[in-house]
Amino acid sequence: MDLISILLYGLPLFFPLYLIWKIIDRKRHQYCYVLDYECHKPTDDRKLSTRFSGEVIRRNKHLGLNEYKFLLKAIVSSGIGEQTYAPRMVFHGREACPTYEDGIEEMDEFFHDTIDKILKRNKISPSEIDVLVVNISMLACVPSLSSRLINYYKMREDIKVYNITGMGCSASVISINILQNIFKNEKNKVALMVTSESLSPNWYIGNDRSMILANCLFRSGGCAVLLTNKLAWKDKAMLKLKQLVRVHHGANDEAYDSCVQKEDDQGNIGFHLDKTLPKAATRALVDNLKQIAPLILPVRELLRFAIASFVKKMNWGSTKGEPKPVINFKTGVDHICLHTGGKAVIDGVGASLNLSEYDLEPARMTLHRFGNTSACSLWYVLGYMEAKKRLKRGDKVLMISFGAGFKCNSCLWEVLRDLGDENVWKDCIDTYPPNTLVNPFVEKFGWLHGEDPDTFYVPDDYVIP
């Protein structure tokens, strides 16, 4: 048989094999890997101690005794410690009149710290970055912050750029979803994701309780993350994305209004946290878990939960008065990485998923040390797990985040190698968890509870204890 005959008869066989190879090869290049991440640690002169927090509160002339008591209760129960960080303009006494440059400088300080470190550590040039995603929810400038980074680092002209605003604390997972979709269609790409929040132009100076609360919870922070779908870099990667689910309840008015930026009656702009927020968060979480559970949990656990729920619904046996069946996410997940939205958020998710204190420890300690750093808080929680050497090869990490809108986003990562490198926690990890999380505000400002609203005033020469 001559060569031509072999080719003619072999073509119908080789072509399907070629198609199969192309499909497999394409699938191999669609994975999303985390190469490295760098969390921002502001300088010590930006630490917000109990004493200085009291001074900031005292400077707000719109507050009375009732507002002081409310803030005392909120801060004491917030789960936040004394080493969190605030914008620099607060320490200059300008929170009532921040400038445009305050917000820009706050971002520049974060950008240059984290991006310089992560690129140098991984020996990657800015010109090698193919995709840049920046999510800063509450600072929109022209040119955009992403353009500012491209200019500073002299990135390529053909770089794909995404500048995300208004997505709140869930923006990290949204950014990952954008990169996931890009990686599905283009091979051998390297991406830089930058996530933070600008607090400088958003410090509330009024007396609306629903808006003052944000000052008690949100703190400065940020994170730069390197991601890729390059197979050649797979062995260097830390994490591999397995699943991602996004839920958006914006069509529901109650959910939409539960977390929104607006003006108070005096025209002061702030971030309103409504009483319906816990309810909105619970609904979004439930809907999200309904979608992601079948994708990440073993069949045996799904069957167990389905049978237990059916028995409970049919009231068979002695089920009256017993608690509702709870699906056990730990059967398919080794670590839960929770957004540090506040002590109530962590407690609520922990109760909903029946998590242990060991599971909740990374989120609680992150909230205590760094506060609510918005969309980047997930990476501080991951950093705690890494610093404690919890993350072993093959482990599964579930990230859960909430955001204004109202949104609940989640994603599952697989750990590709044992992790335990030094990170943002290196100077304090040995002191965590502390013996107590009791906030010193109780000791320093508890005397407010005994004051009379009709006669109470703060003397101008009063010294914060």
Side-chain angles (χ1 to χ4, degrees), residues 42-47 85 88 91 109:
T43 52
D44 287 347
D45 61 340
R46 289 175 59 186
K47 279 187 178 179
Y85 303 93
R88 201 171 293 281
F91 298 89
E109 187 174 338

Side-chain angles (χ1 to χ4, degrees), residues 245-312:
V245 170
R246 292 168 56 184
V247 168
H248 200 308
H249 283 184
N252 183 293
D253 291 341
E254 188 176 70
Y256 179 85
D257 293 330
S258 65
C259 188
V260 62
Q261 186 182 28
K262 68 175 189 178
E263 291 183 344
D264 65 12
D265 295 337
Q266 285 76 43
N268 301 305
I269 296 178
F271 206 66
H272 167 73
L273 303 176
D274 199 80
K275 292 180 180 179
T276 61
L277 180 58
K279 183 179 178 181
T282 301
R283 286 177 175 174
L285 174 64
V286 170
D287 284 354
N288 187 286
L289 296 181
K290 284 180 180 178
Q291 292 187 40
I292 201 169
L295 302 175
I296 65 176
L297 298 183
V299 174
R300 66 178 186 277
E301 174 58 21
L302 297 174
L303 286 174
R304 182 203 66 79
F305 177 72
I307 293 171
S309 299
F310 180 74
V311 170
K312 177 71 175 177

Side-chain angles (χ1 to χ4, degrees), residues 192-259:
L192 175 64
M193 183 185 82
V194 182
T195 174
S196 182
E197 190 56 271
S198 179
L199 302 184
S200 293
N202 297 291
W203 196 272
Y204 180 63
I205 59 169
N207 59 5
D208 188 312
R209 294 188 183 186
S210 69
M211 299 167 78
I212 277 182
L213 200 55
N215 290 357
C216 302
L217 294 175
F218 287 99
R219 295 292 184 267
S220 297
C223 185
V225 187
L226 277 174
L227 303 99
T228 188
N229 62 348
K230 280 189 175 184
L231 285 178
W233 289 5
K234 177 183 176 182
D235 293 337
K236 299 193 299 183
M238 307 171 70
L239 305 169
K240 175 182 176 181
L241 183 63
K242 303 294 287 184
Q243 299 290 346
L244 189 148
V245 170
R246 292 168 56 184
V247 168
H248 200 308
H249 283 184
N252 183 293
D253 291 341
E254 188 176 70
Y256 179 85
D257 293 330
S258 65
C259 188

Side-chain angles (χ1 to χ4, degrees), residues 391-440:
L391 303 177
K392 306 298 181 183
R393 182 178 180 180
D395 285 357
K396 302 294 194 303
V397 181
L398 178 64
M399 287 184 171
I400 301 175
S401 64
F402 302 91
F406 191 85
K407 301 180 287 291
C408 178
N409 302 326
S410 63
C411 60
L412 184 75
W413 299 95
E414 179 184 354
V415 181
L416 298 180
R417 55 183 170 85
D418 292 355
L419 301 180
D421 297 335
E422 288 188 346
N423 57 31
V424 71
W425 288 91
K426 65 180 180 180
D427 295 333
C428 59
I429 191 62
D430 293 336
T431 64
Y432 278 88
N435 295 327
T436 179
L437 295 178
V438 175
N439 195 299

